[in-house]
Amino acid sequence: MFENLLAFFRNPADAKYKTPLPQADARHAIGALLVRAAKADHSYLFEEITLIDKVLAERNGLNPVEAAKMRAACEKLEKNMPATQDIADILKDAVSVDEKEATLLALWRVVFADGIKREEEDLVLHQIEEILGVSRERAQQLQTQATNNA
């Protein structure tokens, strides 16, 4: 282990240590979806990152530093799971209907955090709604609620 540490400081590119991919559990899948939604418009803004940290902290009982670390792990998971379907499938049977709706509300809050509504974001969120099995009517109510709270 000491040799690996020395190797890293000599030449980080040659070091064998890589940050491990986080476990694809429901908590991290929700975080990865939040990141995916924020990046849907090909920009990842401070307002979105701040809101993701807030959502992760509130939903997981984390302090701000822990939430930021969890978001970083979720960013890595999002990057390594290219299909939104793969991420959402983790949640499909793992969380309750209330949790799915709370996740969808958080997703809409994140995409509205930058104050700009984009079609790419709508498409990603409608795909997630369908995968999670949230009815179109209920999804519209959640979207309206997020818009009013933005």
Side-chain angles (χ1 to χ4, degrees), residues 33-78:
L33 283 175
L34 292 168
V35 171
R36 176 69 50 92
K39 290 181 174 183
D41 61 357
H42 307 289
S43 65
Y44 192 39
L45 302 176
F46 176 76
E47 296 86 356
E48 295 164 326
I49 293 168
T50 302
L51 187 54
I52 290 170
D53 286 356
K54 182 179 177 183
V55 168
L56 292 175
E58 289 171 357
R59 294 183 69 172
N60 296 293
L62 304 174
N63 67 40
V65 172
E66 293 168 332
K69 286 181 181 179
M70 183 174 182
R71 177 187 33 83
C74 293
E75 290 169 346
K76 185 167 184 129
L77 181 61
E78 185 272 338

Side-chain angles (χ1 to χ4, degrees), residues 88-110:
D89 276 345
I90 295 168
L91 300 175
K92 194 181 213 176
D93 299 319
V95 297
S96 68
V97 172
D98 289 342
E99 185 68 15
K100 289 175 186 175
E101 290 180 0
T103 297
L104 201 51
L105 179 60
L107 287 164
W108 281 113
R109 287 177 52 210
V110 166

Side-chain angles (χ1 to χ4, degrees), residues 9-26:
F9 286 114
R10 281 191 210 114
N11 189 356
D14 290 341
K16 294 178 183 173
Y17 180 79
K18 300 221 188 273
T19 303
L21 189 63
Q23 183 178 351
D25 60 7

